[in-house]
Amino acid sequence: MQVVKNIAVGFIVSFLGSLPLGFLNIVGLEVYGTLGLKAVSLFILGIIAIEAVVCYYTLIFANELVRNKKLMKWIDVFGIFFFLIIAFVFYNQSTETGHSSGFLQNYQGWNMFWLGVFLNCLNFLQVPFWLVWNLYFINGKYISIHKRLKLYYVGGTMVGVFIGMLFIIYFLDKISKQIAFLTDYLIPVIFPVFFVVMAIIQSYKVFQKYFSNKIHLEP
């Protein structure tokens, strides 16, 4: 049962994390429109190759951080701001659609797998993204990383990234003439609100965990 839970949690967070209209998805849209499904699949696999390494090692590092109780208090507090930052990223990146048109002209002759690897190596935001999520899941006991269980979690995240990116690229391609709905409502409104709610929930958990008892003990 824990195997299924690890896979499901990894899949959900990576699927949601792949949905913002960021640079990699916009390039993927151009790859799909220009070279087709096989090319964009290779492009996403290249992204996953780097993502898997980042996810695995931030998971191990997060587990070490969880053992440091003093540090965890500040990490839990930072989690509130992290969710707010993610909400802002969803809102802000909705304005970037179309800025990478003609991008592939600069990389003619590149294998799409290696283009995905190269571009994701420049995606430095993935490190804090995975570190904070992994801390959140380990600290909240949503996942177990005992022995091989961590591999099921990482595997679930990679499947989520692949399906999430492929879904949004295909979706954008099909509704390119109606993109106003996506940019006006779904990405800048619904997803940011979701993560603001997550920040509120995290704030409540931090209060209950670190401050509630102190208030009750005061005369």
Side-chain angles (χ1 to χ4, degrees):
M1 196 64 188
Q2 187 61 54
V3 169
V4 176
K5 186 177 180 181
N6 273 25
I7 294 173
V9 170
F11 177 87
I12 292 170
V13 68
S14 59
F15 183 86
L16 290 175
S18 67
L19 291 183
L21 294 179
F23 181 65
L24 292 176
N25 277 339
I26 300 303
V27 174
L29 178 62
E30 186 177 353
V31 171
Y32 179 71
T34 305
L35 302 174
L37 180 61
K38 181 179 179 180
V40 77
S41 296
L42 287 173
F43 176 72
I44 297 173
L45 287 175
I47 292 171
I48 289 175
I50 300 302
E51 200 96 357
V53 175
V54 173
C55 181
Y56 180 81
Y57 283 104
T58 54
L59 184 65
I60 294 174
F61 184 56
N63 188 47
E64 295 299 321
L65 288 178
V66 167
R67 298 176 183 177
N68 189 324
K69 300 301 181 182
K70 292 182 179 179
L71 183 60
M72 276 308 302
K73 177 180 179 179
W74 297 107
I75 292 174
D76 283 341
V77 172
F78 175 74
I80 299 170
F81 296 98
F82 174 76
F83 285 127
L84 293 175
I85 290 169
I86 293 296
F88 174 76
V89 167
F90 270 94
Y91 176 79
N92 184 62
Q93 289 189 348
S94 65
T95 64
E96 296 180 1
T97 306
H99 286 186
S100 62
S101 179
F103 177 85
L104 289 181
Q105 295 179 4
N106 299 322
Y107 295 91
Q108 291 181 355
W110 278 56
N111 178 281
M112 290 298 102
F113 175 85
W114 293 112
L115 179 62
V117 169
F118 172 70
L119 292 181
N120 204 27
C121 284
L122 303 178
N123 181 23
F124 300 112
L125 286 177
Q126 65 184 313
V127 175
F129 175 87
W130 284 115
L131 180 59
V132 175
W133 272 119
N134 290 339
L135 280 167
Y136 181 76
F137 291 141
I138 294 173
N139 194 40
K141 302 187 185 303
Y142 295 106
I143 62 172
S144 172
I145 60 171
H146 181 65
K147 294 183 178 180
R148 293 186 179 182
L149 286 174
K150 66 170 71 71
L151 298 180
Y152 288 103
Y153 168 73
V154 174
T157 63
M158 296 307 102
V159 174
V161 170
F162 185 87
I163 295 178
M165 288 195 67
L166 201 60
F167 168 79
I168 196 64
I169 289 169
Y170 179 80
F171 183 63
L172 288 176
D173 182 71
K174 292 302 179 184
I175 67 163
S176 57
K177 294 181 180 180
Q178 304 175 20
I179 195 67
F181 166 76
L182 188 70
T183 56
D184 290 345
Y185 298 102
L186 186 61
I187 299 300
V189 177
I190 297 176
F191 287 132
V193 168
F194 170 78
F195 283 104
V196 168
V197 171
M198 289 291 290
I200 294 172
I201 294 173
Q202 178 68 6
S203 299
Y204 176 76
K205 289 182 177 180
V206 168
F207 174 78
Q208 289 292 320
K209 187 175 181 179
Y210 298 108
F211 302 105
S212 180
N213 290 336
K214 292 182 179 179
I215 292 176
H216 292 156
L217 290 174
E218 288 180 357

